[in-house]
Amino acid sequence: MARTGQPGTAPGVAEADLDLGDHVTRLLDRPARDPATGADPLVLVHALGLDRRMWAPVAGCLPPDRRVIAYDVRGHGRAAGAPPPATVRDLAEDLLRLLDTLGLARVALAGLSMGGAVAQTFAVHHPGRLSALHLVATAADPQPAYLERADRVERYGVVEQLPATLERWFTPAFLAADPEPVRYARETLAGVRAADFGAGWRALARLDVRAGLGGLRLPVRVIAGGDDPATPPALMRGIAQDIPGAEFVIIDGVRHLPALEAPERLAALLRPEFRRP
């Protein structure tokens, strides 16, 4: 089974800058080949330290009859150096501005890691804008350990955290093979400003959406990497159990970044048709 993908090379994808007020983001935007199918656009939110290109391998595996959008979260990619977020709610409100600017009344939303925190927060505060929610390798509760990571990166820099981060992100065999997705992740993370990376960790440390999950009334799929040490299956299962009717799925043999290590298998789970609560 192929498990590689080349970020930035998904066929039919256009890129454009979008002004969100206090910062500019960049979109990866693949239009639907046949918009008449009626599937809502799928918006993808990337992990801390990466950018919109993390989703390019997945976008390349998705059916062409659906619009797919990924964007740079505040402090990442084209949006590096933007005013830092105080909370994940700030990042969720950025997403709301993005949807409003694009004229998208309702979308399906998928987020991985930090992106999953943004997606949960958006769903809790703006449920009417979503037709489906996919939460991948993420958390829902405050994580005090993330403050230690913020302190460390601000003191020693991002490069010092590269080895440990890559080991959390990828299985040993995939990391040792050093395919294009690993090189993309290494190079992108190495280029992140310490201030942006630290601000991301501090915002995630304050994440607390667990109490709002029980009020969600939309199709939700919670997806865990079977070997993920950062957000293990037991943690992800707990999130699924708190959301009425949520499905829980494990992608075996991957760690924290199935979007890069197993894009075909993740793409197969981001389909619009699944059980409603």
Side-chain angles (χ1 to χ4, degrees):
M1 179 179 296
R3 300 205 305 171
T4 61
Q6 296 189 4
T9 61
V13 170
E15 294 205 358
D17 287 350
L18 189 70
D19 191 338
L20 294 182
D22 67 349
H23 73 282
V24 173
T25 186
R26 181 162 292 165
L27 301 181
L28 180 158
D29 192 349
R30 193 202 69 180
R33 181 178 298 174
D34 181 10
T37 58
D40 289 325
L42 174 63
V43 176
L44 306 167
V45 192
H46 63 76
L48 179 65
L50 298 179
D51 60 20
R52 68 198 180 281
R53 297 174 297 163
M54 184 198 82
W55 287 108
V58 172
C61 297
L62 290 168
D65 59 352
R66 188 180 200 188
R67 186 179 181 185
V68 179
I69 298 167
Y71 69 99
D72 288 336
V73 174
R74 178 186 295 264
H76 299 75
R78 178 71 172 85
T87 66
V88 176
R89 178 74 184 272
D90 294 334
L91 302 179
E93 295 307 305
D94 287 342
L95 174 56
L96 179 64
R97 283 189 288 274
L98 183 145
L99 298 186
D100 288 345
T101 302
L102 294 176
L104 299 175
R106 196 172 78 150
V107 300
L109 181 62
L112 189 155
S113 194
M114 175 190 70
V118 175
Q120 289 175 82
T121 304
F122 185 91
V124 167
H125 292 284
H126 305 289
R129 302 297 294 268
L130 299 181
S131 58
L133 178 65
H134 302 81
L135 303 175
V136 188
T138 191
D141 304 298
Q143 304 286 333
Y146 291 172
L147 294 176
E148 298 175 11
R149 292 183 186 174
D151 289 340
R152 190 169 186 89
V153 75
E154 290 162 359
R155 181 177 301 178
Y156 300 112
V158 176
V159 173
E160 186 267 348
Q161 292 202 14
L162 269 175
T165 302
L166 292 174
E167 288 175 5
R168 287 196 304 271
W169 282 357
F170 300 110
T171 57
F174 196 73
L175 186 58
D178 199 34
E180 174 63 25
V182 171
R183 297 195 298 274
Y184 152 76
R186 182 186 299 111
E187 293 164 8
T188 302
L189 182 57
V192 172
R193 300 187 340 154
D196 288 334
F197 202 40
W201 280 126
R202 293 187 186 283
L204 286 172
R206 302 180 181 96
L207 174 70
D208 191 1
V209 294
R210 179 79 66 171
L213 297 180
L216 296 181
R217 295 295 184 272
L218 72 158
V220 179
R221 177 172 283 131
V222 178
I223 303 168
D227 298 330
D228 185 359
T231 53
L235 183 151
M236 298 295 296
R237 188 185 299 274
I239 293 175
Q241 290 171 342
D242 282 347
I243 302 173
E247 294 186 10
F248 176 63
V249 182
I250 296 175
I251 301 179
D252 292 326
V254 301
R255 286 197 168 177
H256 194 56
L257 291 185
L260 291 175
E261 194 164 3
E264 300 95 338
R265 285 188 282 165
L266 181 56
L269 295 172
L270 301 183
R271 63 184 186 273
E273 305 84 9
F274 62 95
R275 179 165 52 89
R276 293 180 176 272

